[in-house]
């Protein structure tokens, strides 16, 4: 059987024909995961679906935590996937060629002070950054603050990119720069990538140069 | 036709039967990439192979740079993949559930001072870290220095993991802690992941807790 967020199950409908499906809403991660574990404990072979990589802002950690909290002795295998930062980078060119950081701007489960401190450290260390959950309808201030932090450490012409629905049908992308980044349409399903001092725009692609003698 | 490092072509032999193969040694990235581009410019459909994700320490950026340097007007499509950090994380549990950084300890193409500064920033910001190219036969000091930097910022019992040949046949892994990390066998094909203040060992898995009420 296959357990997942409704939208993700729709995306893999071609793979699940004939299988039992349990879909749930966006904010029901714990309930969804508990259902998967309990059914597995009863003997079912259960696939718990995340988009991208289940181990990066996905369901893998929660599954291990809940398995323990519920005292369920079920085997778990975690299948890695292509995380949204990789899919977005491939669409934009090759901005993650070298050292980078991945930070989510959602402060639902982590306090903003911690996130802000991480952004400042990454900005100062000239790391390329991939931002997950950059903005939602109700949460807009965090992205503004993140861009201000990078703007204080990097020139306005630093390449930046936005990819929405990375790697999926309907993917859209924009290559811009740090100064104009906030003018782009950025939402919950977008990934924002901000380059560093060696990131360049080459023939429309965003590339962080690795330093090969070319 | 398929162009790649000899070892990677061997790993995908089941996919390349009947196709023209051009294999080259480990240090011939530029030559390999130039061959791929020139053959594409002559009209061939060419696959240039990287292990993991071509956009993360792979060949994607070099291909875009060389295409421009050589003035070759060939279309390039970058196919994202499962990067070694994702594969290693899945083997260890879910250490990359939240914000993290990816840093290579190879100072062949980037100076050590820059790398050291990044390690210090990431260690201070309580980010989980995935280290690529942690150690080779001739390059051992960098990992020792990296571990010392994290040891200065985090307690010795902070969970750490080593995965060698992540996601491949012959994969091996060890879950340990920051204090004992340097006692492990770590080589060129290993990924080292060091947890942060919320990373725990749960039933043998290394998990960075996302903060769900479990």
């Amino acid at each position: 059987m296959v357990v997942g967020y409704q939208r993700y199950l729709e995306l893999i409908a071609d793979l699940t024909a004939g299988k039992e499906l349990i879909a749930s809403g966006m904010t029901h991660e714990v309930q969804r995961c508990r259902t998967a574990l309990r059914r597995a404990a009863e003997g079912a072979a259960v696939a718990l679906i995340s988009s991208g990589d289940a181990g990066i802002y996905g369901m893998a950690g929660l599954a291990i935590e809940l398995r323990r909290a519920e005292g369920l002795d079920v085997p778990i295998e975690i299948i890695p996937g292509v995380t949204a930062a990789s899919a977005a980078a491939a669409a934009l060119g090759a901005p993650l060629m070298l050292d980078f950081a991945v930070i989510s701007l959602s402060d639902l489960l982590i306090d903003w002070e911690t996130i802000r401190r991480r952004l400042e450290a990454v900005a100062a260390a000239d790391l390329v950054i991939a931002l997950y959950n950059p903005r939602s309808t109700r949460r807009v201030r965090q992205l503004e603050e993140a861009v201000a932090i990078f703007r204080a450490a990097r020139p306005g012409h630093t390449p930046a990119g936005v990819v929405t629905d990375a790697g999926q049908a309907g993917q859209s992308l924009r290559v811009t720069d740090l100064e104009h980044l906030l003018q782009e349409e950025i939402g919950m399903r977008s990934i924002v990538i901000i380059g560093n001092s060696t990131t360049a725009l080459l023939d429309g692609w965003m590339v962080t140069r690795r330093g090969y003698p070319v």
Side-chain angles (χ1 to χ4, degrees), chain A residues 19-188:
Chain A
K19 295 199 165 56
E20 184 186 353
L21 303 180
I22 299 188
S24 68
M26 187 62 163
T27 53
H28 298 102
E29 286 94 348
V30 176
Q31 173 202 314
R32 197 188 307 151
C33 192
R34 188 177 285 123
T35 301
L37 286 166
R38 287 185 179 165
R39 290 298 297 268
E42 289 162 19
V46 180
L48 177 63
I49 304 299
S50 292
S51 71
D53 185 340
I56 298 178
Y57 309 111
M59 302 286 282
L62 180 58
I64 293 172
E65 287 186 68
L66 262 182
R67 175 186 179 280
R68 182 187 175 96
E70 302 252 316
L72 296 170
D73 188 26
V74 296
I76 294 179
E77 182 186 5
I78 296 154
I79 317 271
V82 175
T83 190
S86 283
L92 293 168
L96 305 183
M97 278 308 295
L98 284 155
D99 308 341
F100 64 95
V102 166
I103 294 180
S104 166
L105 296 190
S106 168
D107 53 359
L108 208 64
L109 295 172
I110 187 167
D111 67 293
W112 178 247
E113 273 311 294
T114 301
I115 300 171
R116 201 178 47 71
R117 193 162 54 91
R118 289 174 176 173
L119 292 168
E120 286 170 350
V122 164
D126 199 33
L127 284 160
V128 174
I129 181 89
L131 299 174
Y132 281 60
N133 308 304
R135 185 155 65 186
S136 71
T137 319
R138 299 164 71 172
R139 186 170 49 74
V140 299
R141 185 186 52 79
Q142 287 82 347
L143 180 62
E144 289 168 10
E145 206 170 319
V147 170
I149 288 167
F150 278 83
R151 192 65 190 80
R154 299 180 192 181
H157 60 76
T158 302
V162 180
V163 184
T164 301
D165 289 331
Q168 294 176 32
Q171 167 183 294
S172 66
L173 71 91
R174 292 281 291 180
V175 175
T176 178
D177 62 24
L178 195 44
E179 189 179 343
H180 301 94
L181 178 55
L182 288 175
Q183 298 171 14
E184 300 299 329
E185 257 191 53
I186 299 171
M188 257 178 66

